[in-house]
Amino acid sequence: MKLKDLADTTGLSDAFVSRLERGQVSSSVANLIQIAQALDIGVSELFAAPQDQSRSHVTLHRHGDDGEDQSIPSTGYRWRLFAGGMPNDDLEVFHLSFPRKNRMDLMVSHPGQEYCYVISGRIRFHVGAEVFDLAPGEGIFLNSELPHRADNISEDEARILMVVAKSPQKAEHFDWWRVPSAATPPRSPKSKPQGD
C-alpha cells in the first residue's frame, strides 16, 4: 500500500503518515486503530514481531505484570495494550492514562464499537454533538464511527479501560469529517439525564 493510499483511507494527512513512518511523530491510540484497520491487522502487530497464530487463545494480565506504557508526547497520554491485537481477534483491550487537565482537540472515528470504563478521575466524552461527564465506576459504549474524543476534567491524572471491537465486516472506510456535527444519535433512557 502506498503512503498516500494509507493516508486517504485513514483520513490522516500524507505529511503526518510520512513523519510517523520515519519515527518523527507519535500517534494517538485512535490513529493507530485507524491505521491498523486500514492495513487489516491488529494494533499490536504495529509493535511486536509477527507470531505464528492469527487469533489470541488465552491472554492473562496480572497485577504487577511488567510492561511499558506507550507515551504520546504531544498530548501526554499514555496507553498500554492489555489483550487482543492479533489479526483475527475481535477485541482489543487498552489501559489509557490522561495527564492532569488534558485535552484532545481533534475528534476521531474508526470502524467498530468501543466501551470506555472510568477507573479514576473524571472524563468528559464528546460523541457527535453530545457531551457526557463520567466519574469512576461509570462507562460509555459507542459506535466508533461517530466523531468522538475524551478529555480529562479532573484535578489529577485520570485512567480508563477501553475495549475496542473491530467492525464485523471490512466495509468501505468511514470518513469522520462527513458526519453532520448537528446529528445526534438516538439515546436510550439511561444514556443522559433528562431535565423537567
Side-chain angles (χ1 to χ4, degrees), residues 17-135:
V17 174
S18 175
R19 292 180 67 205
L20 182 64
E21 182 180 42
R22 289 176 288 157
Q24 295 176 343
V25 294
S26 295
S27 176
S28 68
V29 173
N31 286 346
L32 291 176
I33 292 169
Q34 288 175 294
I35 291 168
Q37 188 78 28
L39 297 174
D40 201 21
I41 61 173
V43 172
S44 66
E45 291 180 83
L46 296 172
F47 299 96
Q51 298 181 17
D52 293 337
Q53 66 188 52
S54 63
R55 189 174 181 90
S56 299
H57 298 297
V58 176
T59 302
L60 185 63
H61 180 263
R62 292 191 185 273
H63 177 71
D65 280 353
D66 289 337
E68 288 190 30
D69 288 347
Q70 301 293 321
S71 180
I72 305 168
S74 59
T75 62
Y77 285 33
R78 292 189 325 278
W79 63 275
R80 184 184 303 185
L81 178 68
F82 275 172
M86 296 299 292
N88 293 328
D89 283 343
D90 298 319
L91 300 174
E92 291 179 310
V93 183
F94 298 92
H95 177 262
L96 299 170
S97 298
F98 299 76
R100 182 176 173 268
K101 295 194 176 178
N102 174 267
R103 275 185 51 95
M104 181 173 80
D105 294 324
L106 183 66
M107 300 281 270
V108 296
S109 69
H110 49 89
Q113 298 174 306
E114 64 189 74
Y115 177 77
C116 296
Y117 177 85
V118 179
I119 299 169
S120 66
R122 293 183 57 80
I123 298 285
R124 176 168 291 151
F125 286 91
H126 300 261
V127 183
E130 295 191 276
V131 176
F132 305 91
D133 289 353
L134 276 68

Side-chain angles (χ1 to χ4, degrees), residues 151-164:
D151 300 326
N152 180 0
I153 57 171
S154 335
E155 291 299 320
D156 296 311
E157 180 179 80
R159 297 181 303 126
I160 65 172
L161 183 69
M162 180 172 79
V163 179
V164 178

